[in-house]
Amino acid sequence: FLQSTDSTAAPLMASVMRTTVASHSHQSAAVTWLLLTSALIQSDQNLLAPNLSACAQEFALTPQEKDEKLGGLLAAALFLVGAPAALLIGAAADGAARRIDLLALLLLLGGLGCLGSSLAGSFWQLFAARALTGVSLGGGLPVTYSLVGDIFEPSERASQSGRLGLAMSLGGMTGQLLAGLLGPRLGWRAPFVPIGGLMLLLAASVRRLLPEPVRGRAGVAAASPYLVIPGHVSPHIGSLESRRGPPPRCHARGGERSLP
């Protein structure tokens, strides 16, 4: 007859349960930060749109110049800089040791671009500031989706990507709404200040509060720091194998042997 000893099995199960709860907590915190980051980056995209006339009047642009420069060239600046940035930063994210640092850099560039737009003294200064913003807009997409791919299981990635897309759309809508409310009262520059300030604040916070997920989670049941990989030592949760100690033993007729 086998007489199992539960002295080691019970702590092991308790450790697994605590680790599972902690992993879900880390996932929730991570996705919250990523949703906030994505929304904030996209909120800058339409900050000028509701106040083109006020901007054109300050820069002494004719109606034709307003359409050409503010309606055309500035939009082109976002695309011509943002599209190559998406490709280059996406490639950089594939090889970066810490994509969180890359995300913080994009928030920093976006914040500087916003504040630069609020301080622009000429159209071409505004053009340069909006082009800098294009780096943040273009590069934020591949970095956030890369992080989502390593935080969540394959079965969850589509739904989480949908949440990211929704956050981006809400961010763009919120930015344009803010510009429509503040612009007529405080001037066309005003909406860039709070958005730029929040980006700089978030850039500093993300590096400290958002842990870097383990790469290559496809086909793996769990990954640290959000889930546990047996044998992988996580700085946030730890290794399951390092906690469980020696295997449980049992007594049987004829001697003692380990459980399989």
Side-chain angles (χ1 to χ4, degrees):
F1 297 95
L2 295 178
Q3 182 179 359
S4 176
T5 59
D6 296 334
S7 59
T8 55
L12 175 61
M13 294 302 297
S15 176
V16 171
M17 293 180 66
R18 287 195 301 269
T19 299
T20 302
V21 172
S23 70
H24 288 303
S25 176
H26 281 294
Q27 279 186 323
S28 298
V31 75
T32 299
W33 281 109
L34 289 179
L35 291 174
L36 181 60
T37 298
S38 300
L40 192 57
I41 288 177
Q42 293 297 320
S43 67
D44 170 77
Q45 187 170 6
N46 296 320
L47 283 181
L48 188 61
N51 302 299
L52 291 180
S53 297
C55 181
Q57 183 177 1
E58 181 172 332
F59 290 151
L61 301 178
T62 66
Q64 181 176 349
E65 289 175 327
K66 168 191 167 184
D67 293 339
E68 292 176 352
K69 292 183 176 182
L70 299 183
L73 287 179
L74 286 185
L78 289 175
F79 175 79
L80 292 177
V81 176
L87 297 175
L88 294 175
I89 294 173
D94 286 337
R98 276 184 52 84
R99 289 160 292 176
I100 300 301
D101 292 340
L102 191 56
L103 186 61
L105 176 61
L106 291 172
L107 285 166
L108 175 64
L109 293 178
L112 293 176
C114 275
L115 296 180
S117 298
S118 70
L119 298 173
S122 67
F123 168 77
W124 292 111
Q125 290 179 8
L126 180 62
F127 181 90
R130 300 304 289 157
L132 184 61
T133 301
V135 177
S136 177
L137 287 169
L141 189 65
V143 175
T144 51
Y145 277 107
S146 174
L147 291 168
V148 165
D150 285 331
I151 292 173
F152 294 97
E153 292 295 320
S155 60
E156 298 178 275
R157 290 173 190 165
S159 61
Q160 296 300 331
S161 297
R163 294 176 67 182
L164 273 181
L166 177 61
M168 292 176 186
S169 298
L170 290 175
M173 180 195 72
T174 302
Q176 188 162 352
L177 178 62
L178 181 68
L181 294 175
L182 295 183
R185 295 168 176 80
L186 302 175
W188 67 268
R189 302 172 185 271
F192 291 98
V193 177
I195 298 297
L198 286 174
M199 282 191 180
L200 297 180
L201 180 62
L202 191 57
S205 301
V206 159
R207 294 188 70 251
R208 295 188 304 167
L209 300 177
L210 185 60
E212 179 73 23
V214 174
R215 286 185 180 272
R217 290 208 46 211
V220 180
S224 169
Y226 304 100
L227 296 174
V228 178
I229 301 177
H232 177 80
V233 179
S234 166
H236 302 276
I237 296 177
S239 170
L240 179 60
E241 289 185 352
S242 66
R243 293 182 175 189
R244 71 184 182 186
R249 309 185 70 84
C250 67
H251 297 278
R253 291 180 179 178
E256 182 180 290
R257 64 181 180 84
S258 298
L259 287 173

